[in-house]
Amino acid sequence: MGLVKQGFVFLGVLFLSTLPLCSADVHHYEFFVRETNFTKLCNTTTLLIVNDSYPGPEIRVHRGDIVFVNVHNQGNYGFTIHWHGVKQPRNPWSDGPEFITQCPIRPGTNFTYQVILSNEIGTLWWHAHSDWTRGSVHGAFVILPAENEIYPFPTPDADQTIMLQSWYNGDYKQIIDQALATGTSPRQPDAYAISGHLGDTYGCPNDTLFRMQVDYGSTYLLRIINSAMNEEKFFSITNHTLTVVAQDASYVKQFTSNYILISPGQTMDVLVCANQNAGQYYIATRPFSDASAVPVDFITTGVFEYTNSAGGLNASLITLPARNDANATNSFVSCIRNTNVTQNPPLNVPADSDINRRVYIAIATNNLPCNTSECIGRDRLAASLNNASFVFPRRVDILQAYYNRTTGVFTEDFPLNPPEFYNFTGDLTGFNPRAELGTRAVLLNYGDAVEIVLQATQLGAGGSHPFHLHGFSFYRVGIASGNFNNQTDPTTYNLVDPPFINTVHVPGKGWAALRFFADNPGVWFMHCHFERHSSWGMDTVFIVRNGTTAETSILPPPSGMPRCT
């Protein structure tokens, strides 16, 4: 998606139909999903994509609108679509995670999602939620201010969507299928991309650079989305200062930095002023990791290009933190705070006295006995939450089972505490890393005040984790290093201006604490947004029971829901 000037809405998306945004609040999109050949790194690869574009078409609507997306599967295998960060009030039927809230859309069929917006504002995104298909099936979801609503900062001259991606020479689904069959870690990406462009650092003369043309003196709103598979990302523009104004479709207290840190699943709105000497300046991104299993350290480039300028690109001027710079990561994350502006929903942080459901989750990678003839060795890689490695059902999705009271699909006994307390962030040499398989959910009553503490551990490769909760934004009230202490650490919580987000960075050898009110009935997936971890079982489900009225209960299922069998 190119630059979009403020004051009008660009509708240059194939197969899009919608009424003018000034008068309408219902929009209709058509997604045609099929295999298409792409040549990058001097290699031709077949990808499953939407409307023949990588990344896919951008959805651009206003706050509070309703969007219908008719998804046509013209590919070779089933998939689903998730509207990342959209709360979907009372409407888990269109949330999208495969075998959690729906069965896959089969080849040759279609399904229409109803995407209900509420208080989200700014940038979100959509992506496939089946195996690793999201690696190529994804796009931006831009939510503009409602009619007669303004930005909480001077209106930018234009906005630009930037998607940070992982590029593989190969079919994404086949990559994870092979890894799961052999019990090994999926291979590393062959490159990273910026909005489908690999830049000039990989050695193939045919690869293209992402270019953003700017006018001197103008201010631009960058809508940055980390759609990478397994990599947190640093991002910068040479010689330019970035002003962070929103994260995960919620405004934050503005602060400036010469880089950002953005985790997979997160979105960030950033202002940049074109106030340097006319020329060309590198846009650059590289991964961050504090784990022992590190991603490949490729730097991918684009160009921030002043009108009527030429030359000036100098790779030596790129300033990005080092791949393992945890101090840079922690410093940036600590700057994210809520802001008291009318465009944000009123602050509603559960107080200490409100909390009636506490869940303390130890995050781990583990080993399990091999379960395929292709397995290499006796054990296979796995992952878990509180030693429970999640198993996706196949004959019916969890939402249908819950709604129809079908037994034998899931259990309601997800452990609310680690089964064993140990030195989570210490030396775990010799500690038993095995986990137990199960499809285990947490049940909440409507209106419960919930606190979740996510504790990173040193089991396996250790390191940070990006965790996403469907159906909600939550307040990140605490974050720190070490083992969480339930007596002393809550006294350090930020209950004044905690960020209101949907995907949280849990620091390696540390923890993050989240609070929210369970006011959205339905079945809601929670998982690590490192795709390999989610594929290995680093997931669970929160089920919020209906309230006492129709307005606090799940909507009836739409007609034509995909069937598993």
Side-chain angles (χ1 to χ4, degrees):
M1 188 74 179
L3 278 172
V4 179
K5 299 290 185 180
Q6 296 299 308
F8 70 93
V9 177
F10 178 80
L11 298 182
V13 177
L14 291 174
F15 312 108
L16 161 66
S17 63
T18 182
L19 298 173
L21 290 177
C22 61
S23 61
D25 60 359
V26 177
H27 313 274
H28 297 270
Y29 285 74
E30 300 288 332
F31 279 11
F32 295 89
V33 187
R34 51 187 167 240
E35 277 81 12
T36 304
N37 288 339
F38 279 81
T39 300
K40 297 183 186 297
L41 298 178
C42 298
N43 181 82
T44 298
T45 298
T46 300
L47 296 181
L48 188 71
I49 58 171
V50 179
N51 294 0
D52 298 319
S53 63
Y54 170 78
E58 180 175 287
I59 292 175
R60 183 170 282 249
V61 296
H62 285 241
R63 191 211 290 260
D65 287 350
I66 295 176
V67 185
F68 290 93
V69 184
N70 188 7
V71 179
H72 305 260
N73 184 355
Q74 299 177 345
N76 295 323
Y77 48 82
F79 63 87
T80 63
I81 302 287
H82 169 55
W83 317 96
H84 187 111
V86 178
K87 299 177 185 67
Q88 293 278 31
R90 304 172 51 218
N91 186 33
W93 307 103
S94 283
D95 188 47
E98 187 177 59
F99 299 119
I100 305 298
T101 62
Q102 72 168 95
C103 298
I105 304 169
R106 296 178 182 177
T109 67
N110 67 293
F111 175 66
T112 299
Y113 291 92
Q114 181 186 28
V115 186
I116 303 174
L117 299 175
S118 54
N119 56 18
E120 304 90 352
I121 184 70
T123 308
L124 292 173
W125 64 304
W126 57 265
H127 60 82
H129 214 302
S130 311
D131 301 305
W132 274 31
T133 308
R134 81 162 177 85
S136 57
V137 177
H138 58 248
F141 198 123
V142 174
I143 306 166
L144 300 169
E147 195 169 357
N148 301 320
E149 184 181 22
I150 62 173
Y151 292 103
F153 44 79
T155 301
D157 295 290
D159 66 72
Q160 172 71 60
T161 298
I162 296 176
M163 299 200 77
L164 309 180
Q165 302 157 298
S166 305
W167 176 264
Y168 288 81
N169 286 331
D171 181 273
Y172 288 80
K173 185 178 185 301
Q174 290 177 3
I175 290 167
I176 187 58
D177 286 350
Q178 180 182 20
L180 293 176
T182 58
T184 58
S185 184
R187 67 180 179 85
Q188 296 270 22
D190 296 290
Y192 303 123
I194 299 175
S195 295
H197 302 270
L198 271 58
D200 61 4
T201 60
Y202 294 101
C204 177
N206 298 326
D207 286 336
T208 55
L209 277 158
F210 170 81
R211 292 182 179 273
M212 177 179 172
Q213 190 170 78
V214 300
D215 296 324
Y216 179 83
S218 294
T219 299
Y220 298 89
L221 178 62
L222 307 182
R223 303 182 181 277
I224 304 172
I225 302 165
N226 187 347
S227 61
M229 300 300 286
N230 297 292
E231 299 87 24
E232 298 184 285
K233 292 295 188 77
F234 291 120
F235 173 93
S236 71
I237 301 176
T238 303
N239 286 6
H240 288 75
T241 299
L242 306 176
T243 301
V244 180
V245 296
Q247 181 180 334
D248 289 358
S250 177
Y251 292 119
V252 302
K253 286 184 178 177
Q254 298 177 31
F255 67 96
T256 60
S257 178
N258 60 11
Y259 68 94
I260 68 167
L261 182 282
I262 183 167
S263 297
Q266 289 181 340
T267 60
M268 210 160 284
D269 291 2
V270 175
L271 294 173
V272 59
C273 182
N275 57 6
Q276 298 299 302
N277 292 330
Q280 297 183 1
Y281 297 84
Y282 269 122
I283 298 170
T285 181
R286 80 174 334 156
F288 161 74
S289 177
D290 53 2
S292 59
V294 297
V296 287
D297 192 17
F298 297 140
I299 292 178
T300 298
T301 54
V303 179
F304 192 76
E305 183 175 42
Y306 284 70
T307 303
N308 299 323
S309 66
L313 286 175
N314 187 340
S316 68
L317 298 179
I318 293 175
T319 54
L320 286 168
R323 176 179 60 183
N324 61 350
D325 193 341
N327 289 333
T329 292
N330 295 336
S331 175
F332 181 85
V333 170
S334 69
C335 292
I336 305 290
R337 292 177 176 268
N338 207 322
T339 185
N340 183 23
V341 295
T342 57
Q343 294 89 342
N344 271 351
L347 196 71
N348 190 27
V349 187
D352 294 347
S353 57
D354 294 327
I355 301 297
N356 60 351
R357 293 303 301 271
R358 285 186 165 85
V359 187
Y360 181 30
I361 298 177
I363 305 165
T365 52
N366 311 83
N367 294 319
L368 285 169
C370 279
N371 61 349
T372 72
S373 60
E374 302 170 63
C375 202
I376 299 173
R378 293 182 300 176
D379 289 338
R380 60 185 173 96
L381 290 173
S384 66
L385 301 176
N386 281 351
N387 218 40
S389 187
F390 190 82
V391 177
F392 290 85
R394 298 292 174 176
R395 62 184 179 89
V396 65
D397 60 82
I398 293 176
L399 175 58
Q400 287 277 6
Y402 171 70
Y403 192 81
N404 295 321
R405 301 183 180 181
T406 303
T407 60
V409 177
F410 67 93
T411 59
E412 302 174 2
D413 61 347
F414 179 84
L416 302 184
N417 289 287
E420 180 179 354
F421 282 83
Y422 53 92
N423 184 8
F424 300 116
T425 58
D427 182 359
L428 297 176
T429 302
F431 189 80
N432 181 7
R434 291 199 182 276
E436 297 179 358
L437 296 171
T439 309
R440 306 170 74 177
V442 179
L443 261 69
L444 302 173
N445 292 319
Y446 183 90
D448 276 353
V450 184
E451 178 177 299
I452 302 172
V453 176
L454 295 165
Q455 173 72 63
T457 74
Q458 286 298 97
L459 278 176
S464 305
H465 300 270
F467 262 80
H468 174 50
L469 175 62
H470 293 220
F472 294 91
S473 288
F474 47 77
Y475 295 99
R476 191 202 71 205
V477 296
I479 186 168
S481 61
N483 297 329
F484 178 75
N485 184 309
N486 64 2
Q487 298 297 314
T488 59
D489 283 327
T491 65
T492 69
Y493 282 178
N494 172 18
L495 304 181
V496 177
D497 56 1
F500 190 54
I501 57 179
N502 62 63
T503 305
V504 64
H505 164 88
V506 181
K509 296 184 179 181
W511 55 269
L514 327 173
R515 285 186 177 182
F516 63 95
F517 286 103
D519 55 4
N520 193 10
V523 172
W524 306 110
F525 197 36
M526 184 175 184
H527 61 99
C528 182
H529 226 279
F530 288 154
E531 286 303 305
R532 68 183 187 277
H533 289 168
S534 182
S535 300
W536 290 341
M538 197 177 281
D539 323 279
T540 191
V541 171
F542 283 81
I543 298 177
V544 180
R545 295 183 175 97
N546 286 339
T548 57
T549 67
E551 292 73 22
T552 58
S553 299
I554 299 174
L555 293 169
S559 61
M561 288 292 296
R563 298 177 63 86
C564 290
T565 56

